[in-house]
Amino acid sequence: MKVLISGGGVAGLTLAYWLRRRGVEAVIVERAAHGRLGGYGIDFFGTGYDVAGRMGIVDRLAPHRLPVDSIDFVDAAGRVGARLTTPLLDKIIQGPHLALMHTTLEGALLDAVEGEVEIRFGETVTAVRDTGSAVEADFAGGGTQRFDLMVGADGIHSRTRELVFGPEPEFARYLGCRLACFPVADRYGWGRARVHCTEPGRQVVVYPTGRAGELIALFLFRSSRTGNVPRDERPGLLRSTFGGMGWLTPSLLAEAPADEPIFMDTMTQIVMPAWHRGRVALVGDACGCMTMVSAQGVSMAMAGAYVLAEELATRGDHRLAFAHYQERMRAEVSRRQRNAQMFTRSLVPGTRPGLVAQSLAQRLVMREAFAPVLRRRFGADSILPPQTSQPVKE
Ligand SMILES: Cc1cc2nc3c(=O)[nH]c(=O)nc-3n(C[C@H](O)[C@H](O)[C@H](O)COP(=O)(O)OP(=O)(O)OC[C@H]3O[C@@H](n4cnc5c(N)ncnc54)[C@H](O)[C@@H]3O)c2cc1C
């Protein structure tokens, strides 16, 4: 069996790894010219950590953990109103966890498939035809190739989904918030903290990347505008939305890169009635994006990839495998999507009274007594059954 995977991100690389380990050939086409640079930080725990452990890459990730000992919530003057410390986070998660740059995880996954899986960087699929007995894919770089199956692991704005299942608006659930981020120089003598400052309708988050003198500035804001904001309009949109905001905001905005695109996207979930059609299936954000608010996107992408590889390698029939994969994963994803939907409403309150209520709630829940509630909300347990034996790499 030969599987074409569109997208060499967390889901695509994890899928290729587990297919290869189970004797299935996989080819990845990745739009980016090489492994992605820059990016944003992620909280990594639960199922994702479990899958990384099974792949033997945790030891390579751990040295690159972000230097963050607390998550602080400050007011416009920088006064800390609530603090989530590492010991409390340990009690919430009750298991191993790491804060990492997303690119660190992708880099480790890339290394894990290096030399084992063909990856065509700078390539995309432009057309897909399911002939019943195979999938024919046309490539932007020219040529057509036949595969037994195709998996779209190409993220929230999946081209595979568009080609095979329908246009994005059919499956998009916009949560009313937009996010943007970029790296800034540490001109502040930053400590080991991730700091959130919120005003009605907008929030700024800053944390260290672990690279000397570098911080990430993340901007979250309520917006009724859906769809893509052209790159050249992004700095202006950020300046107008965050104009007049206190704390470090003016200084951070002044550092918005002029010569490089700012990462900006909507907070949108992807909700689909079916994750597979014929010989094509989707995995990760492509079929089940939960948004960053769930802090579980990476975990569910890796879990989905692991489960899909297992089903494909053991069922002997792709229809059965796809159906079982969806059955094992979709309820878990839907639950996290519902949680994230609820949480987004209170993440960036739209009004001053809402902000006051948020501050009170933060002070209340950031205690040991609330750890079990937060633990349930963030789905800190692995959803995979315990591993009975360690697969051996051929
Ligand atoms: C700011 C931010 C913070 C987040 N924080 C967390 C967190 O704390 N914890 C957590 O678990 N998750 C977090 N997430 C979510 C997490 O990053 C995603 O859920 C996860 O990356 C999904 O993995 P994926 O492989 O499905 O998609 P992606 O990571 O988006 O990968 C898709 C890949 O497909 C490639 N691609 C796209 N289109 C094409 C095409 N047409 N052809 C070929 N290749 C293509 C892309 O270049 C990319 O390499 C966060 C997300 C953001 C934006």
Side-chain angles (χ1 to χ4, degrees):
M1 185 165 36
K2 191 167 177 176
V3 181
L4 171 64
I5 302 173
S6 173
V10 171
L13 292 167
T14 307
L15 177 64
Y17 174 91
W18 287 107
L19 285 175
R20 173 75 188 84
R21 288 290 288 265
R22 293 172 178 280
V24 177
E25 190 183 349
V27 173
I28 294 178
V29 291
E30 165 55 48
R31 182 178 58 185
H34 48 71
R36 287 187 292 175
L37 302 170
Y40 50 85
I42 53 166
D43 294 309
F44 187 56
F45 55 93
T47 317
Y49 197 102
D50 183 9
V51 175
R54 295 174 193 217
M55 295 171 76
I57 61 170
V58 167
D59 287 349
R60 305 174 69 169
L61 299 174
H64 301 287
R65 67 168 54 203
L66 301 186
V68 171
D69 294 334
S70 69
I71 300 171
D72 297 348
F73 299 87
V74 303
D75 63 14
R79 287 179 298 245
V80 178
R83 173 168 285 161
L84 179 58
T85 58
T86 303
L88 182 54
L89 196 60
D90 288 343
K91 291 207 169 75
I92 294 168
I93 295 179
Q94 281 183 16
H97 56 94
L98 290 170
L100 295 171
M101 292 304 284
H102 188 262
T103 44
T104 301
L105 177 60
E106 278 188 339
L109 293 170
L110 200 54
D111 288 349
V113 299
E114 183 90 64
E116 308 257 340
V117 172
E118 181 188 343
I119 305 183
R120 302 177 191 165
F121 286 107
E123 183 63 285
T124 57
V125 173
T126 55
V128 181
R129 287 174 299 281
D130 186 336
T131 66
S133 58
V135 178
E136 284 177 2
D138 295 347
F139 296 102
T144 298
Q145 211 179 329
R146 283 165 73 87
F147 296 85
D148 295 297
L149 301 171
M150 176 176 177
V151 178
D154 37 9
I156 180 173
H157 305 298
S158 168
R159 178 85 172 120
T160 309
R161 188 183 61 225
E162 188 182 30
L163 289 171
V164 177
F165 297 81
E168 184 168 315
E170 279 184 28
F171 311 113
R173 181 198 282 157
Y174 178 49
L175 301 188
C177 240
R178 193 172 274 277
L179 65 105
C181 64
F182 50 82
V184 295
D186 178 5
R187 307 186 193 290
Y188 317 97
W190 203 261
R192 297 174 61 90
R194 184 169 96 198
V195 182
H196 295 237
C197 179
T198 312
E199 288 191 356
R202 52 196 187 173
Q203 181 177 123
V204 178
V205 187
V206 178
Y207 52 86
T209 64
R211 286 189 286 263
E214 187 184 69
L215 307 171
I216 293 291
L218 171 69
F219 298 81
L220 306 172
F221 54 106
R222 287 188 171 222
S223 168
S224 54
R225 177 176 178 179
T226 57
N228 182 47
V229 174
R231 288 176 173 187
D232 58 339
E233 291 177 24
R234 294 176 190 177
L237 178 61
L238 283 182
R239 277 196 299 273
S240 60
T241 308
F242 286 85
M245 184 160 169
W247 192 48
L248 307 175
T249 312
S251 146
L252 296 168
L253 283 175
E255 289 211 47
D259 44 357
E260 292 211 4
I262 293 174
F263 173 82
M264 182 181 279
D265 208 344
T266 56
M267 274 205 218
T268 297
Q269 297 185 328
I270 298 297
V271 183
M272 301 182 72
W275 289 0
H276 54 95
R277 176 172 287 174
R279 291 183 166 267
V280 181
L282 301 173
V283 68
D285 275 6
C287 56
C289 181
M290 292 164 284
T291 75
M292 61 168 285
V293 177
S294 73
Q296 286 278 291
V298 160
S299 274
M300 289 300 108
M302 293 179 78
Y306 180 90
V307 168
L308 180 55
E310 184 175 77
E311 293 292 345
L312 283 173
T314 54
R315 293 281 170 194
D317 177 331
H318 71 274
R319 283 161 299 203
L320 269 181
F322 285 168
H324 280 271
Y325 149 67
Q326 180 180 303
E327 193 183 309
R328 286 174 65 184
M329 288 303 303
R330 205 157 64 138
E332 293 289 347
V333 168
S334 301
R335 187 162 70 81
R336 285 162 176 77
Q337 286 182 325
R338 282 194 299 275
N339 276 342
Q341 215 181 344
M342 274 190 312
F343 192 47
T344 304
R345 287 190 208 115
S346 57
L347 179 72
V348 187
T351 61
R352 188 67 57 190
L355 194 61
V356 172
Q358 184 202 51
S359 305
L360 289 173
Q362 277 167 348
R363 263 173 258 166
L364 182 72
V365 300
M366 285 189 201
R367 296 158 197 263
E368 210 176 316
F370 279 88
V373 178
L374 294 171
R375 180 176 164 72
R376 275 196 298 280
R377 166 162 279 191
F378 287 105
D381 293 320
S382 175
I383 64 165
L384 298 174
Q387 203 175 19
T388 43
S389 64
Q390 189 70 33
V392 179
K393 196 168 186 177
E394 299 111 51

